[in-house]
Amino acid sequence: MVARCVAALGLMLASLLSTPAVAGGAILCCENAEGRRVCGDVLPQACYGRAYRRVASDGTVIERIAAPMSEAERIAAEREARLRELEEDRRRMQRLQDRALLDTYRSAADIDQREQRAIGEIERDLAKAKAREEQLRQAQERLQEEAKLHPAGAVPADLTQAIRDNQSELAAQETVIDAKLKNIDAVRARYSRDRERFKTLTATPASR
């Protein structure tokens, strides 16, 4: 009886020894510092910090595990990921802008008409500002001529104040005119960009 138990135990041990140490017969392999292949049922010490592979019993590579990144590589990878994220944000924003552009304009001619109307409104305000500037300049000339009728240092206080007020308003009007001119340039630049982008988006494949 004891002999039979010993024999059975021997068969069990033999069966266990014939079973691969890693499930499915996979082992872990890498190239060591000398470039030689090193394998083991668990990751060999020579593979620490290096890329390695999980290899099946038939030699098929099941999985490749990259080596841990260095600090410099990690920073570079994070930077590349951030750049990809920013680029995707830019492309998403461009798609939204393009959609809005196509929803806003019916045609290139529509863009031209809207530009003309926008500039026309500014030019009407600009004409009023220039007319007011001319009135102020003429008033300034009259005030200066009146001041000349008085001896130096004896110009009446109210006349002196009128000259100062006129000069202040004239300076403000000049600022308004400058802002209107810059506004016209900005409008033209904006509609020019819209026009070019609209043509690009609506161009047929053959004409691109």
Side-chain angles (χ1 to χ4, degrees):
M1 179 67 176
V2 173
R4 285 198 299 272
C5 289
V6 171
L9 181 60
L11 290 173
M12 290 176 63
L13 289 173
S15 176
L16 289 172
L17 290 173
S18 65
T19 302
V22 177
I27 58 175
L28 306 177
C29 298
C30 74
E31 277 67 46
N32 64 13
E34 289 74 34
R36 292 195 297 271
R37 186 183 185 192
V38 180
C39 297
D41 295 335
V42 296
L43 187 66
Q45 187 173 1
C47 296
Y48 290 178
R50 309 182 71 84
Y52 64 92
R53 306 173 297 282
R54 289 182 63 237
V55 183
S57 58
D58 62 357
T60 302
V61 176
I62 302 173
E63 182 183 9
R64 296 182 183 273
I65 296 86
M69 290 188 292
S70 66
E71 182 65 12
E73 290 172 335
R74 183 187 63 78
I75 293 174
E78 290 177 353
R79 181 175 180 274
E80 290 178 2
R82 179 56 179 162
L83 290 175
R84 287 194 297 271
E85 181 181 345
L86 291 174
E87 176 62 17
E88 180 56 32
D89 288 344
R90 186 196 66 79
R91 291 180 179 178
R92 182 166 54 252
M93 182 59 67
Q94 185 64 61
R95 288 194 294 269
L96 291 174
Q97 291 174 347
D98 289 345
R99 184 70 265 167
L101 189 72
L102 293 174
D103 290 341
T104 300
Y105 303 116
R106 298 186 301 274
S107 64
D110 185 27
I111 298 176
D112 295 340
Q113 293 170 2
R114 293 186 185 219
E115 179 183 14
Q116 292 170 5
R117 286 197 299 269
I119 292 178
E121 291 177 2
I122 300 172
E123 287 180 336
R124 283 191 291 273
D125 291 339
L126 178 61
K128 293 177 182 179
K130 287 184 174 181
R132 179 55 181 163
E133 179 191 36
E134 181 59 27
Q135 291 174 356
L136 291 169
R137 290 190 184 281
Q138 292 176 2
Q140 183 69 10
E141 292 176 1
R142 290 194 299 270
L143 291 170
Q144 292 292 353
E145 289 298 324
E146 185 178 349
K148 292 177 182 180
L149 300 176
H150 301 275
V155 178
D158 58 344
L159 179 56
T160 300
Q161 186 61 48
I163 292 173
R164 289 175 180 170
D165 291 344
N166 182 276
Q167 289 174 337
S168 178
E169 187 176 353
L170 183 58
Q173 206 63 34
E174 289 173 348
T175 300
V176 169
I177 291 172
D178 184 62
K180 295 293 182 184
L181 292 173
K182 290 180 179 178
N183 197 7
I184 289 175
D185 290 339
V187 168
R188 284 176 174 158
R190 177 169 66 85
Y191 278 100
S192 177
R193 290 192 299 269
D194 287 355
R195 186 180 296 104
E196 291 304 314
R197 188 61 183 168
F198 186 87
K199 289 179 179 178
T200 298
L201 294 173
T202 57
T204 59
S207 62
R208 291 182 183 175

